[in-house]
Amino acid sequence: MMYIIDSANLEKIRECVEFYPVAGVTTNPTIISREKTDFISLIKSIREIIGPDRMLHIQTTALEAGQIIKEAVALKEIVGGDFYIKIPVGPEGLKATMALKKMGIKVTETAIFTQQQAMLAAIAGADFVAPYVNRLDNIVSDGVHVVGEIVEMFKQHNISSKVLAASFKTVEQVHKIAMVGGHAVTINTELFHTLTYHPLTQYAIDDFIVDWESCYGKTDILGLIDQSK
Ligand code: G3P
């Protein structure tokens, strides 16, 4: 499963890329607007931090297919590398997706809430479909169940589009997406830290240090190697 950063904050992206096995970055107009800075230099800086080989998904703000296509072409030119245009699902989005696929531009169809939205997006040619897990849970639906059915449906119909689950608040949601075969999750940087932290892990590490120091004092392994030369 791929882990993707759902953020446009340069400092947080830099930190996540340094410490975690990150496959790319996703943004949307809400995430971009939080940074309150120049859009073009922001997306160029994200590309600079993550390099050309990690995915960068940037969302269109256009509502009509012709404009979506123009934005996709221009954004791809500006950021380069492994670029995906994110398009909210709907008639105009699907029309744009079909055209962009013919032009060789990769598409992530986003804001997906139902299995059939995902199916149509995939058949239109979307490389990724992005169902919103936590927002489904918030309307007393079941985000994990919807993602699981999309994964299963793609398998049954031999569809190569991947499921990039989005909108997460908890470790449990992320884990359950892994268990139903989601191909990728996009999560905020705080959730990356929460996923890796456990107090018993920290307890074990503290214990190892105490036991080591009771025998070797403050000298670490490299120190002992030096002494042995
Ligand atoms: O990538 C979509 C995601 O950012 C939506 O998340 O937390 O606003 O539901 P959220």
Side-chain angles (χ1 to χ4, degrees):
M1 188 171 78
M2 289 176 272
Y3 289 85
I4 300 173
I5 309 168
D6 204 20
S7 173
N9 182 280
L10 299 181
E11 210 175 300
K12 289 177 177 178
I13 292 172
R14 202 173 281 116
E15 189 187 3
C16 270
V17 166
E18 181 180 355
F19 292 108
Y20 300 115
V22 163
V25 168
T26 53
T27 68
N28 62 34
T30 306
I31 288 171
I32 294 278
S33 68
R34 279 188 201 128
E35 302 311 308
K36 299 191 183 351
T37 187
D38 177 67
F39 171 64
I40 304 298
S41 45
L42 181 63
I43 58 176
K44 281 184 176 172
S45 301
I46 295 174
R47 172 57 80 207
E48 216 174 284
I49 293 169
I50 67 175
D53 298 333
R54 290 192 180 91
M55 299 183 287
L56 178 50
H57 303 242
I58 301 175
Q59 193 163 320
T60 181
T61 54
L63 301 175
E64 182 272 319
Q67 290 301 113
I68 295 172
I69 294 164
K70 281 185 193 158
E71 284 192 4
V73 171
L75 285 169
K76 183 178 161 66
E77 178 71 26
I78 290 166
V79 295
D82 195 8
F83 168 75
Y84 292 76
I85 185 73
K86 270 178 85 186
I87 306 175
V89 71
E92 295 288 340
L94 294 174
K95 180 179 172 184
T97 299
M98 290 185 280
L100 286 164
K101 286 316 290 178
K102 287 193 187 125
M103 297 161 68
I105 295 183
K106 293 190 272 190
V107 174
T108 296
E109 201 89 22
T110 192
I112 286 186
F113 284 82
T114 73
Q115 295 85 333
Q116 283 302 309
Q117 285 178 322
M119 187 69 159
L120 278 166
I123 294 169
D127 298 275
F128 285 99
V129 298
Y132 280 6
V133 176
N134 189 64
R135 293 196 198 187
L136 277 160
D137 290 350
N138 278 345
I139 55 168
V140 203
S141 178
D142 182 343
V144 171
H145 175 76
V146 171
V147 170
E149 285 207 350
I150 296 171
V151 169
E152 195 46 45
M153 196 169 58
F154 285 5
K155 264 190 216 149
Q156 275 190 28
H157 293 271
N158 217 11
I159 286 169
S160 61
S161 308
K162 290 191 161 42
V163 183
L164 192 178
S167 177
F168 287 98
K169 289 289 170 283
T170 68
V171 167
E172 191 188 16
Q173 288 168 333
V174 173
H175 175 60
K176 285 185 169 168
I177 292 304
M179 294 305 292
V180 297
H183 306 101
V185 291
T186 187
I187 58 178
N188 66 40
T189 51
E190 289 71 26
L191 200 44
F192 268 99
H193 300 315
T194 314
L195 281 170
T196 51
Y197 178 77
H198 195 283
L200 284 178
T201 305
Q202 193 53 51
Y203 183 86
I205 294 168
D206 292 346
D207 239 17
F208 292 141
I209 301 295
V210 168
D211 291 343
W212 177 270
E213 287 182 2
S214 72
C215 184
Y216 302 104
K218 295 282 177 200
T219 313
D220 61 11
I221 288 177
L222 287 177
L224 293 181
I225 292 170
D226 268 351
Q227 284 173 17
S228 73
K229 283 178 187 164

